[in-house]
Amino acid sequence: MALSRRLLGPQEDELIHMRTHPKALLGPILVLIVVVAGVGTALGLMPPDLGAWVPWAVVALGVVLMVLGTLIPWLRWLTTTYTVTTRRIITRRGLITRTGHDLPLNRINDVTYERGLLDRILGCGTLVLSTAADDPLTLPDVPHVEQVHLQMTEVLFGSQSTSTGS
């Protein structure tokens, strides 16, 4: 799903549009498995002489835990995007309150990436965009971070290698 054309300026083209890596969903998937197994075990081991409301309370607690531990993180992942255009880096986050950050490409001085062991196994990493200000823009869980780093470097610094003195 690309960024809407109405959000781009005139003569601005989208180069890269991505969500964070699905690695962010490993925790919520684990929560889902544990909650379903816990609710199933609790219902299976529950003595029948408890009140009729107790199984419903266990199921309701399971639903609340699944919403908080699985559904909300999944929606956060779904609504977090990174977009690189010919002019800027655009980040968008948020379920109810949307927050966005636009960083003009001409302000970026350095592009680096970091990959831990799990990141290398899963093919993602953290992209760090440094500016003249002391506050770099950090984009966690970027899929295929090495390719994105290469594309960013080409966009930012590729045109500077040509000589104007010919």
Side-chain angles (χ1 to χ4, degrees):
M1 182 175 131
L3 194 66
S4 173
R5 182 72 199 153
R6 66 181 176 79
L7 297 176
L8 299 176
Q11 299 172 352
E12 181 179 24
D13 295 318
E14 181 180 297
L15 302 174
I16 305 168
H17 182 79
M18 64 192 134
R19 294 192 196 295
T20 58
H21 193 274
K23 168 186 109 169
L25 298 176
L26 291 177
I29 289 170
L30 185 60
V31 167
L32 177 67
I33 291 168
V34 168
V35 168
V36 168
V39 168
T41 302
L43 292 176
L45 297 177
M46 191 174 295
D49 59 343
L50 290 177
W53 63 272
V54 175
W56 288 107
V58 170
V59 170
L61 178 64
V63 169
V64 167
L65 290 175
M66 285 190 337
V67 166
L68 293 176
T70 303
L71 182 63
I72 291 175
W74 176 74
L75 289 173
R76 280 193 188 121
W77 172 81
L78 196 63
T79 59
T80 301
T81 60
Y82 307 138
T83 306
V84 179
T85 71
T86 53
R87 293 185 184 171
R88 57 192 168 139
I89 309 284
I90 304 166
T91 62
R92 298 289 185 258
R93 294 186 170 93
L95 296 172
I96 297 170
T97 302
R98 292 286 286 170
T99 58
H101 181 77
D102 294 6
L103 177 64
L105 293 180
N106 60 7
R107 298 225 177 137
I108 298 173
N109 296 333
D110 187 40
V111 181
T112 59
Y113 67 90
E114 303 166 357
R115 296 178 79 191
L117 179 61
L118 184 61
D119 290 339
R120 290 195 322 255
I121 291 169
L122 297 175
C124 63
T126 299
L127 195 66
V128 181
L129 307 168
S130 300
T131 64
D134 290 334
D135 191 22
L137 176 63
T138 303
L139 306 177
D141 297 331
V142 173
H144 310 291
V145 71
E146 288 178 325
Q147 287 85 14
V148 173
H149 175 262
L150 180 63
Q151 287 178 306
M152 288 289 305
T153 304
E154 281 298 313
V155 168
L156 292 170
F157 311 116
S159 63
Q160 294 178 0
S161 64
T162 59
S163 174
T164 57
S166 347

